[in-house]
Amino acid sequence: MKKIVLAILAIGIFGAWQTASAADIVGVITLTGTPPAEKEITPMMDNPDCAAMYNGKAPTTHFYVVGPKGEFADVVVSLKGVTGKSTGASTPPAVMDQKGCLYKPQILAVQTGQKITVKNSDTCVHNVHCTPAVAGNEEHNDVQMAGGADLTYSFPQPEMFLRFKCDVHPWMFAWVSVFDSPYFSVSDKDGKFVIKNVPPGKYTVEANHRKAGAQTQDVEVADKDVTVNFIFAVK
Ligand SMILES: [Cu+2]
């Protein structure tokens, strides 16, 4: 009899676990219209260290990273107003590299308390200067020599598009968004994003791009993946 009760209890717990299971919010982001032409970063050619990596042909800016069918990359997607859920302290570090006198990636998202490892893959010196705008997030300004040890940063407060710049190379910028939860994603070159393991509930999904602005959509997550697509127009 005891065994049967235990079995029923186990089934009950399993059932409860199943109904409380999380789902993913997935989607594709599209840009309509023709974005402004990217500009050649010509000042880079005045810097012999950087110019040497490009055979004299300056790379361009990457304000709008868009595929042939409007697939819109570098859009930061998050769940608005979800706070106090950070697992940043136990999440592996996010990595940002300095390569070809540019930050890669240029758009990054992390959790509060999650480490950001900054590498220097170039053969020249860089200077990592982050300039947060939110109180509690500390400014840092560190020289990083070629072949120098990785630098590590983390931020305790949520902040959208926290700026990293290089004082040696004034065209170098990266934008790190910090969230107080693991529920965010940055759209890839196919415009796709995935916010994983979202607990059931009602949410407002926000898609935010440095140049194209922000949009929101309301969704309800139950036990199946939910699709939310965003269409941005060139302003
Ligand atoms: Cu630099």
Side-chain angles (χ1 to χ4, degrees), residues 50 98 101 103 122 124-127 166-169 171-172:
C50 301
Q98 297 160 106
C101 292
Y103 280 112
D122 282 337
C124 60
V125 63
H126 289 290
N127 156 275
C166 175
D167 297 334
V168 182
H169 308 113
W171 58 83
M172 281 180 71

Side-chain angles (χ1 to χ4, degrees), residues 7-36:
I8 291 169
L9 200 64
I11 290 165
I13 290 167
F14 184 68
W17 173 77
Q18 268 197 323
T19 49
S21 70
D24 297 347
I25 299 176
V26 301
V28 177
I29 306 188
T30 310
L31 182 75
T32 61
T34 306

